[in-house]
Structure formats: C-alpha cells, structure tokens
Amino acid sequence: MRIDAEKCIGCERCTYYCPVEAIHVAEREDNPKKKRSWIDEDECVECGVCFRANVCKPQAIYQQELKWPRVIRKSFSDPMVEFKETGVPGRGTEEMKTNEITGRFKKGSWGMAVEVGRPAVGARLKDLELIAMALAERGVKFEPRNPVTFLFEDVKSGKLKPELRNEKVLSAIIEFEVKPEQLKPVLQVIKEMSDKVESVFSVDLISHPEEEEKGPALKIVKEMGFPVYPNGKVNLGLGRVLNK
Ligand code: SF4
Ligand code: SF4
C-alpha cells in the first residue's frame, strides 16, 4: 500500500488502523510546519485495512500493483483476497477447524498446525521456513491443500522459494499430519524453534474425540510442558460435506 504525498494532509487518522504500525508521520519536505504520512513498505503486509477503513478524506491511500513475490503478502494478510491455488479467502485454508467437513485428518493420526505471526507483529516467511524445515526433518507430511505448501521450493524439506524469505505477512499456517509416534519429537522441535525464530507462533493439535477419551494427545502435550487450551468446534450442518 502507498500514500500519495501530494494528496496527504497529515491528519494521522490512517495510522491508528495499521495492525503492524507501518504507517509513520513525518514533516513535509516542502513545508516543515505541515505533516504527511508514509508507509514503510518493508513492514507493510498489504492487509488493506488502512484503505478499506475509508478514513482518508483526500483519498491519498492507494494500492500499487503488486508483483511476485510481494503479492504473497496480500494473499496471506488480506481476508478479502482469495488464495488462487486453494480458492479460499483469508489465509487460504479450510484448516483443521472444519475437519468434520473436510475429513483431512483421519482416525489414527493427529492434525497439527503452527500459526506463525499475529496482528501487531506479523511474521517474516524466513521464520516460517525455519520451523517447516525442522518439522520436515522429523518426517511430517505437509497438507497439500494449504497455501503455505505452495510456497515451498521443495515440499519434502520445507525449503521455501528463496525470493520469499524476506516477505512479511500478518500470519500463515503450516498444516501437517503426525502419527502418534511422531508427536513427541515434533513437540520437541517446536520447543527448540521458540528460541530460534523471532516471530510469535502458536501450535494447534486436533484429534478425534473418541481417541482423546483414551487420553494420548493431551497427556503427551502436557508432559512436554506445553500450556493447553482445549477447544471444541462443531459445524451446524452449514458446510458442504467433502468427507464422504
Ligand atoms: S496495508 Fe495494512 S499493513 Fe500496509 S500500511 Fe495499510 S494497514 Fe498497514
Ligand atoms: S488518512 Fe489520508 S490524509 Fe490522513 S494521514 Fe492518512 S493518508 Fe494522510
């Protein structure tokens, strides 16, 4: 996103809307008594919030043409944009919350996700790559219908296309499946990564309720020292069942 310096009157209204604080205010070069705003393009994740908020009276905020690899910022940060390869808006995935519709994660295995980034901080994709490569070393299978999987140069190693490493997004979700015997090593890797990456991340784990009654996943997660926030979600028949 950009701000037309000629049109901007420096009212600062847009600055309050940016979730990563990429909009700054400066003195005008042509008149130091007046202000203008500018966008730090390295920090901007192209979420479109400042534009959609419609707070700029002189309409100084505009969307420049986004080319590869920058366009990836918008795909992962603007909920109004559909991810081309998956056909899903937002972060481009149906993800595990709709598992009873999609049936991605079968009985006998667990679905996991690492959500890298959050509003106010965002994430560099190089951090996502570090986590993905460490997970790949433990033999996890990345979800083929997740947009992050399309960013890999090599899906087996979790290595990203190199031009993407410095791109910044609001957040992106690595999704994968683990077999019961993989859970401990995977959690260990995730723990190690918390010291190695700068971006914040959280971890999701999904299991079938009847398996959970036997207690394995939660028990292992707690043993590994992770704080647990159990969460149930039921879709009320509004989704088209793909899991037949
Ligand atoms: S597009 Fe989003 S990240 Fe970029 S300046 Fe606007 S609000 Fe901030
Ligand atoms: S809202 Fe518009 S005029 Fe006001 S500071 Fe932002 S870009 Fe400039």
Side-chain angles (χ1 to χ4, degrees), residues 2-5 7-17 23-25 28 35-39 50 54-62:
R2 285 184 184 160
I3 292 175
D4 183 332
K7 289 185 181 172
C8 176
I9 54 172
C11 69
E12 300 185 30
R13 279 176 163 191
C14 55
T15 59
Y16 302 107
Y17 288 84
I23 308 179
H24 304 280
V25 184
R28 291 196 73 90
K35 291 179 181 171
R36 68 169 179 92
S37 291
W38 61 281
I39 291 174
C50 56
N54 203 18
V55 291
C56 182
K57 287 194 177 159
Q59 300 194 319
I61 303 172
Y62 67 98

Side-chain angles (χ1 to χ4, degrees), residues 139 149 169 193 208 225 237 240:
T149 308
V169 298
M193 283 298 112
H208 290 267
R240 181 166 57 91

Side-chain angles (χ1 to χ4, degrees), residues 97 205 228-233:
K97 290 174 198 153
L205 187 144
V228 180
Y229 305 96
N231 189 331
K233 191 167 183 178

Side-chain angles (χ1 to χ4, degrees), residues 96-97 100 205-207 209 229-235:
M96 48 188 51
K97 290 174 198 153
E100 74 267 44
L205 187 144
I206 184 169
S207 63
Y229 305 96
N231 189 331
K233 191 167 183 178
V234 178
N235 289 325

Side-chain angles (χ1 to χ4, degrees), residues 142-172:
F142 295 114
E143 166 55 49
R145 289 158 294 179
N146 179 290
V148 164
T149 308
F150 292 91
L151 307 182
F152 293 139
E153 181 177 75
D154 172 18
V155 76
K156 283 204 179 126
S157 69
K159 199 172 172 190
L160 283 183
K161 294 172 185 166
E163 69 273 24
L164 292 172
R165 287 192 187 116
N166 201 39
E167 292 303 324
K168 184 175 176 178
V169 298
L170 211 49
S171 64

Side-chain angles (χ1 to χ4, degrees), residues 1 17-20 22-23 39 43-51:
M1 200 66 68
Y17 288 84
C18 181
V20 292
I23 308 179
I39 291 174
E43 294 297 328
C44 168
V45 293
E46 303 291 357
C47 68
V49 171
C50 56
F51 184 78

